[in-house]
Amino acid sequence: MKVYKFGGTSVGTAERFRALIPLINDDTNKIVVLSAMAGTTNALAEMSALFSDGKKNEAKNKCEAMRKQYHTVIDALFASETWSLKAHDYADEQFLYIESLFSREYSRHNEKRILARGELLSTVFLYFLLSETGIPSVLVPALNFMRIDKDGEPDYFYIRENLKRELAAVNDEKIIITQGYICRNVFGETDNLRRGGSDYSATIIGAAVGAEEVQIWTDISGFHNNDPRYVENTRVIRSLSFDEAAELAYFGAKILHPSSVNPARMKNIPVRLKNTMEPSDEGTLVTSASIPVDYKAVAAKDGITVLRIRSDRMLMAYGFMRRIFEVFEAYKTPIDMITTSEVSLSLTIDDPTSLEDIVKSLGSIGNVEVEREQTIICVVGDFRPGKVGSAPEIFEALNEIPVKMISYGGSENSVSILINTSDKTVALRSLSLKLFPEA
Ligand code: ASP
Ligand code: MG
């Protein structure tokens, strides 16, 4: 059994949808996990924001406009009247449901019900499309097996048992379709795995069924060695270890949801990144094997805030770090990067929601300085302890740029550097020239 996940752009138009048929109908047993059509979840989120602001009429108008767009897609998608009619009916049902929620009070739960519509629509369309084409498939609703616990983490036991039951009820169909992103929470309510979570659904499902491979299909041929939006002549990386892929995904490579590496690593399931526009491209294969190369890739993560805490009382004292970290724990704010000296500590966060409270609480420990609009540059490569002479190229490349923090030695396969976001493009380009001169 394999798991194939197709992202929003892979189902973004009627043509893209149809292009999936030969990819799916390749005679292997598979679970197909779909995202919502590109732009849909954003539009549903905007609708929910209007709803939450009490702008129900605007929300309704947006919903109506979207319903019309969907009907246009359906007209282009289906050749037969039978399946086209079924699809029109299903879309109407979904958009009417959203409108019916607008007549109720806004709640987080109603918002999640709205956000779930995109994946419900795309999967039904694929099921109808395959049926119209004469390819047998089964639709297994994710809400029947996908569940998160009270911390928002996948409930693996529940998922495995329930998916097993769902699959046992399916006769030997080769193609099983399900929704990415959506799930139930501990109360049994509709919830989701957070934005971009369809990749996560795919690897959770892969782990639950012990899949032979998980394929993540997007609109780019795998992980690149630098960000193609800012740097020319980037190259696709053929193979990465789980750890390397997790670092790259976390530090900005948009191709894969960072959490999605975990379930695959846990069960040692290879993850292959493929391009729906260029299906014959090899893409990137992520496995437990690591092939050490000095430098493999560079990625950048924006929206970082740095906090510098200085206290002379820190000199030769113990318990300081704990006191500082407790503040971040209290505000449920993860820390990305840390560097310390004898009397000061710098750290970065990417979620500034509780920044004001955090700074206030840290005030009792020392002086706090805050700087926003920072970027973490992550260089993935071979940084095993004891290795001689690998990093000079990084710092030569960044010679002309103010470097704010360097984290070396925390990971065997990455070095992180903090810079001003305004220096990012220059930094990425000059790193490519130095680290990947052959490209
Ligand atoms: N449709 C969801 C989103 O846009 C999930 C996904 O595409 O991965 O966030
Ligand atoms: Mg995605």
Side-chain angles (χ1 to χ4, degrees):
M1 178 77 92
K2 290 189 181 182
V3 177
Y4 288 15
K5 179 260 168 177
F6 295 98
T9 46
S10 303
V11 292
T13 60
E15 293 74 52
R16 303 278 7 126
F17 245 115
R18 275 196 296 268
L20 300 189
I21 299 175
L23 302 179
I24 292 173
N25 193 30
D26 65 356
D27 218 39
T28 52
N29 287 332
K30 65 181 69 66
I31 300 178
V32 177
V33 178
L34 285 196
S35 291
M37 294 180 69
T40 295
T41 314
N42 282 343
L44 294 171
E46 285 162 22
M47 235 178 261
S48 307
L50 291 168
F51 183 18
S52 123
D53 290 346
K55 298 177 179 154
K56 290 188 176 183
N57 273 335
E58 282 173 55
K60 239 177 222 166
N61 291 342
K62 206 169 171 58
C63 182
E64 188 49 28
M66 205 174 161
R67 190 178 71 86
K68 288 202 177 109
Q69 279 171 13
Y70 261 79
H71 284 304
T72 313
V73 172
I74 292 168
D75 285 334
L77 186 56
F78 296 95
S80 71
E81 200 172 323
T82 324
W83 292 102
S84 171
L85 269 178
K86 278 181 194 276
H88 280 297
D89 283 350
Y90 185 74
D92 278 340
E93 196 184 292
Q94 294 304 314
F95 288 106
L96 267 175
Y97 176 73
I98 296 175
E99 284 199 22
S100 77
L101 292 177
F102 293 152
S103 59
R104 303 188 200 171
E105 279 302 301
Y106 169 83
S107 68
R108 293 286 293 160
H109 182 214
N110 282 336
E111 169 163 348
K112 286 177 172 159
R113 286 167 156 158
I114 295 172
L115 290 174
R117 300 300 120 187
E119 272 71 12
L120 293 170
L121 282 156
S122 64
T123 44
V124 162
F125 290 176
L126 180 65
Y127 173 64
F128 286 174
L129 186 64
L130 291 175
S131 305
E132 180 181 64
T133 318
I135 300 165
S137 69
V138 188
L139 193 55
V140 172
L143 297 181
N144 287 3
F145 65 85
M146 194 56 99
R147 194 163 95 148
I148 46 174
D149 62 20
K150 61 176 187 353
D151 301 316
E153 297 300 326
D155 180 343
Y156 285 104
F157 179 76
Y158 181 97
I159 295 166
R160 207 173 39 240
E161 292 306 305
N162 285 277
L163 185 53
K164 211 197 287 173
R165 190 201 59 231
E166 291 287 321
L167 294 181
V170 168
N171 297 329
D172 37 58
E173 288 314 346
K174 283 191 172 315
I175 303 170
I176 288 151
I177 305 168
T178 194
Q179 298 84 20
Y181 177 59
I182 65 174
C183 61
R184 290 194 190 275
N185 59 26
V186 267
F187 307 110
E189 299 165 343
T190 303
D191 209 313
N192 60 60
L193 298 171
R194 297 194 278 273
R195 295 304 306 273
S198 289
D199 296 344
Y200 199 17
S201 302
T203 54
I204 295 169
I205 291 171
V209 300
E212 175 192 331
E213 181 173 279
V214 174
Q215 297 188 356
I216 307 279
W217 290 80
T218 63
D219 53 0
I220 181 165
S221 297
F223 275 108
H224 281 230
N225 63 352
N226 205 328
D227 193 327
R229 289 169 301 179
Y230 302 99
V231 181
E232 280 173 29
N233 300 325
T234 59
R235 240 188 324 105
V236 174
I237 312 164
R238 291 273 164 259
S239 71
L240 282 173
S241 69
F242 289 124
D243 290 342
E244 291 164 343
E247 302 260 5
L248 279 181
Y250 185 72
F251 288 110
K254 286 280 179 298
I255 182 167
L256 189 66
H257 188 283
S259 309
S260 60
V261 177
N262 259 339
R265 177 179 14 216
M266 214 166 60
K267 293 279 170 164
N268 199 11
I269 297 166
V271 176
R272 198 181 284 277
L273 296 149
K274 296 276 288 174
N275 186 351
T276 31
M277 317 274 184
E278 302 289 345
S280 57
D281 282 1
E282 221 176 290
T284 302
L285 182 63
V286 183
T287 63
S288 56
S290 175
I291 304 153
V293 174
D294 284 351
Y295 302 112
K296 273 197 188 166
V298 176
K301 184 174 178 179
D302 294 337
I304 302 292
T305 302
V306 60
L307 291 97
R308 296 191 189 89
I309 304 134
R310 189 195 154 89
S311 168
D312 293 328
R313 281 175 293 144
M314 207 163 137
L315 189 67
M316 302 210 294
Y318 50 82
F320 248 101
M321 303 276 185
R322 180 184 46 76
R323 287 179 60 199
I324 290 170
F325 293 150
E326 269 172 1
V327 172
F328 290 85
E329 192 180 349
Y331 292 104
K332 293 194 161 100
T333 301
I335 297 168
D336 280 333
M337 238 178 120
I338 312 172
T339 56
T340 63
S341 82
E342 192 43 47
V343 292
S344 54
L345 182 143
S346 298
L347 51 80
T348 69
I349 57 173
D350 78 344
D351 174 8
T353 319
S354 309
L355 184 62
E356 226 175 280
D357 292 328
I358 289 173
V359 171
K360 217 190 244 164
S361 301
L362 289 174
S364 65
I365 306 176
N367 284 335
V368 188
E369 240 178 69
V370 176
E371 214 178 344
R372 289 170 178 262
E373 282 171 57
Q374 303 292 296
T375 291
I376 295 177
I377 303 271
C378 173
V379 180
V380 167
D382 180 7
F383 303 105
R384 282 173 295 179
K387 185 168 182 255
V388 183
S390 65
E393 292 87 351
I394 300 179
F395 300 103
E396 273 167 38
L398 300 177
N399 237 349
E400 311 274 302
I401 290 165
V403 168
K404 310 292 210 40
M405 277 169 78
I406 300 166
S407 172
Y408 188 117
S411 152
E412 295 198 352
N413 43 46
S414 78
V415 167
S416 313
I417 298 135
L418 189 76
I419 58 168
N420 293 321
T421 302
S422 54
D423 292 324
K424 177 175 80 169
T425 308
V426 174
L428 290 178
R429 287 183 185 158
S430 113
L431 279 165
S432 257
L433 288 174
K434 264 278 185 258
L435 309 186
F436 315 116
E438 75 287 0

